[in-house]
Amino acid sequence: MNAVHGRLQSSAENHDRSAKPDRLFDKEGEWAALMSFSRNPHPGTGLGVVMGRPRQGKTLLLESVARATGGFYFCGQEATEAESLRRLGEEYARYRQVAQPSHWRNWREGMDALLALGDSGPLPVIIDSFPDLVAASPALPSVIHGALRHLDRPPLENRVRLLLSGETAPVMTRLFAPSSPLHALAALKLDIQPLDFRKAAQLWGIDDPELAFLVYTVVGGTPAYRHDYVNDDVPVDRDDFDAWVCRTILNPCTPLFHEARHLLDEETGPWSHGVSHSVLAALASGCTTHGEIATFLGQQLTDASRALGLLRDHGLLQSQADGLQPGITRHRIADPLLAFEHAVARPRRAALEQSDAETVWQGARADFDTLVAGPRFAQVCRDWAACSAGSSAFGAENVTASHGSLGDPSATARLDAEVVIRRQDGDMTGRLLSVGLARWHTGMDLHHLQRLWRIVEGLTSREDVSQVRPALYGAAGFSPELHAAHARGDVLLVDLEHLYREL
């Protein structure tokens, strides 16, 4: 990366540069926090931490902050300590506009020079991909800790604002855990999250809720995929969606075709690549518990637990207690692209090499609806219920939303409720407020409502169900009888229009 040049100029010029760049979608809160931290005029140093999974816009955000403030930006790489110090010296020389690069013998010398940039006023010094530097120089966090503590002794003349950035992975978590010396010094901690389904629709410029959901089901809310990975190719309408899948994610000539495998390599490393793929394949096939995944892998529960822990630590897997049986933990793939890869693309790699994408996709469409779109629709419904529905829907502002299951004595299969809503009381999960079914490609009728009441009846012996509101979430429509029940207040009906339009 090239160093970010320019110094603070006139106040009017500086005000204009402080506006968030148009190319930086959303991120208003993160931008305001970083700008406030970078320009904090109070004496003394400041340490900030920015984390997030790859492709979420961290680098663009931090480069933009450096440009707006006249700060210094450096991006680490996988390299030896000597090479990293040499690159840093070259970037520092360009930033200072001097001909001779600095030749630092160790990180102590380099950090002293970088932190000195804050001697004349508040100035951000940004080090991106920080874990790559720590991998070659394990003592670097201690060096930074010592340098910042030294500068914070009276008189407090230095006002450097050091920002360390990296992926949300075990390294960053360990470096800034409560037991770490750097944890106590960090005045700012930002975790850059993928866009939610509504923001993703805005990013892609899609107004049709069904098309917006289909695209979200493939690429999720990762900003980089919108421009850099599909060359601004956006499906024109629903009829163009299938063709769009074939010309983007199933097209070997596009970066998106290879992205899921590269992402897994980046996150977990080659030594765990095989088992990670297998766990994700198990999850994509519908396995959600430790036991189901262990059976799929042909491994002991302890071995499956280690693999699940690895993926969870890297942010690729999310785990949550069952909403009706808290003793059961359910797991799901966090990234939609990884779910699509392991349910649709990976099992058909050989076919994609031997046939055209259109033929392969035609054969895979049913699996997409069942294994990818269906579970993702249920998760979108849970996200809506927890974050957007409001108290008018369930009678409480703070709620949790999870998948729930219940054994049915009169049937061989269990009863599943994709959206179980409970009141959130601090750190405790409280009263049951709603039980709901979510169906992506199946129209819903009275038998779905009757199934809900069977679940509620099965809970009467174990908890208070007096405030439970049945809810049906459907993307393929509801029968006239259900609409009549909704009008009477007997059931809450939520469709795609409801999910995407109502606030």
Side-chain angles (χ1 to χ4, degrees):
M1 296 277 183
N2 291 328
V4 179
H5 301 293
R7 309 294 294 180
L8 295 176
Q9 300 176 14
S10 69
S11 59
E13 210 172 9
N14 187 37
H15 175 76
D16 291 338
R17 292 168 62 188
S18 67
K20 183 175 72 71
D22 292 339
R23 64 184 183 138
L24 191 62
F25 180 80
D26 198 41
K27 303 289 189 294
E28 280 81 9
E30 293 87 344
W31 176 262
L34 286 168
M35 291 297 289
S36 176
F37 172 81
S38 300
R39 289 179 168 170
N40 186 341
H42 290 93
T45 64
L47 174 64
V49 182
V50 180
M51 298 189 292
R53 293 191 53 238
R55 326 290 192 260
Q56 303 308 321
K58 296 187 303 300
T59 294
L60 176 59
L61 176 65
L62 293 171
E63 286 180 332
S64 299
V65 168
R67 289 191 182 94
T69 59
F72 175 82
Y73 174 90
F74 176 75
C75 186
Q77 296 177 352
E78 292 182 343
T80 64
E81 179 176 298
E83 181 187 356
S84 295
L85 286 169
R86 183 166 58 250
R87 287 184 55 244
L88 180 63
E90 293 168 352
E91 299 287 359
Y92 178 82
R94 278 194 284 270
Y95 178 80
R96 296 296 302 272
Q97 298 182 2
V98 296
Q100 188 65 31
S102 299
H103 296 288
W104 296 313
R105 294 168 297 178
N106 52 52
W107 274 109
R108 187 176 302 279
E109 293 181 358
M111 290 308 306
D112 285 346
L114 290 180
L115 298 181
L117 293 173
D119 284 345
S120 58
L123 187 82
V125 170
I126 301 169
I127 300 180
D128 203 357
S129 294
F130 183 59
D132 287 339
L133 300 177
V134 175
S137 307
L140 178 56
S142 297
V143 171
I144 292 174
H145 178 262
L148 290 174
R149 291 296 300 270
H150 175 75
L151 290 173
D152 276 342
R153 297 170 182 168
L156 300 178
E157 298 177 348
N158 184 282
R159 284 177 284 176
V160 70
R161 308 298 177 229
L162 179 63
L163 284 163
L164 305 177
S165 175
E167 297 169 7
T168 305
V171 175
M172 286 296 284
T173 302
R174 184 182 72 251
L175 289 174
F176 298 99
S179 59
S180 163
L182 290 178
H183 173 83
L185 299 181
L188 174 70
K189 296 176 183 177
L190 288 180
D191 189 354
I192 309 299
Q193 294 290 328
L195 302 171
D196 66 22
F197 65 98
R198 284 178 169 174
K199 289 288 187 181
Q202 295 175 24
L203 172 70
W204 285 81
I206 300 175
D207 293 326
D208 177 1
E210 182 173 334
L211 179 60
F213 171 75
L214 286 168
V215 171
Y216 179 76
T217 297
V218 176
V219 294
T222 297
Y225 298 157
R226 167 66 174 83
H227 301 291
D228 301 337
Y229 283 71
V230 298
N231 196 27
D232 287 324
D233 185 350
V234 180
V236 177
D237 51 32
R238 296 181 203 174
D239 293 335
D240 187 40
F241 173 73
D242 291 334
W244 176 79
V245 169
C246 294
R247 64 179 182 258
T248 56
I249 192 168
L250 296 183
N251 179 3
C253 296
T254 66
L256 198 59
F257 178 83
H258 308 281
E259 169 65 4
R261 287 172 292 173
H262 291 167
L263 190 62
L264 197 61
D265 271 339
E266 270 186 59
E267 297 269 21
T268 63
W271 55 88
S272 57
H273 198 190
V275 67
S276 296
H277 270 304
S278 294
V279 172
L280 292 173
L283 292 164
S285 71
C287 301
T288 62
T289 66
H290 280 70
E292 292 169 347
I293 294 167
T295 299
F296 183 96
L297 298 178
Q299 293 183 341
Q300 298 295 320
L301 283 174
T302 53
D303 296 326
S305 296
R306 283 193 290 269
L308 288 167
L310 173 71
L311 291 170
R312 187 167 46 247
D313 289 345
H314 286 82
L316 303 177
L317 176 76
Q318 292 183 347
S319 304
Q320 189 177 28
D322 187 286
L324 301 178
Q325 301 184 82
I328 297 176
T329 298
R330 299 198 176 276
H331 312 281
R332 67 178 182 87
I333 299 174
D335 192 322
L337 184 66
L338 287 175
F340 183 94
E341 165 72 13
H342 289 83
V344 175
R346 184 169 175 263
R348 297 172 175 84
R349 288 292 174 189
L352 285 169
E353 294 175 359
Q354 300 169 12
S355 182
D356 59 278
E358 289 77 10
T359 301
V360 174
W361 175 240
Q362 185 178 5
R365 195 56 159 86
D367 278 353
F368 170 77
D369 284 330
T370 302
L371 300 177
V372 184
R376 189 58 54 182
F377 178 69
Q379 184 58 45
V380 163
C381 294
R382 289 190 289 268
D383 291 342
W384 172 84
C387 304
S388 304
S391 60
S392 60
F394 304 111
E397 286 289 345
N398 299 317
V399 301
T400 63
S402 59
H403 182 114
S405 60
L406 188 68
D408 182 6
S410 63
T412 57
R414 72 186 186 211
L415 291 171
D416 284 286
E418 287 78 18
V419 189
V420 175
I421 309 300
R422 290 185 179 274
R423 185 187 299 274
Q424 180 73 43
D425 298 322
D427 294 332
M428 301 295 293
T429 300
R431 180 190 292 269
L432 182 64
L433 301 177
S434 177
V435 177
L437 303 181
R439 298 292 183 268
W440 160 244
H441 60 297
T442 303
M444 305 185 85
D445 55 30
L446 281 178
H447 96 270
H448 292 93
L449 181 56
Q450 293 165 357
R451 185 178 180 87
L452 278 180
W453 283 120
R454 283 170 58 197
I455 295 174
V456 174
E457 290 169 3
L459 294 168
T460 55
S461 62
R462 64 171 76 172
E463 62 181 305
D464 181 4
V465 297
S466 61
Q467 296 184 11
V468 172
R469 185 179 190 185
L472 296 174
Y473 305 80
F478 306 101
S479 70
E481 293 81 6
L482 282 180
H483 281 291
H486 173 71
R488 295 192 302 268
D490 294 339
V491 64
L492 172 67
L493 301 183
V494 181
D495 58 13
L496 277 169
E497 191 76 20
H498 203 120
L499 292 171
Y500 274 87
R501 304 294 191 206
E502 293 195 17
L503 299 175

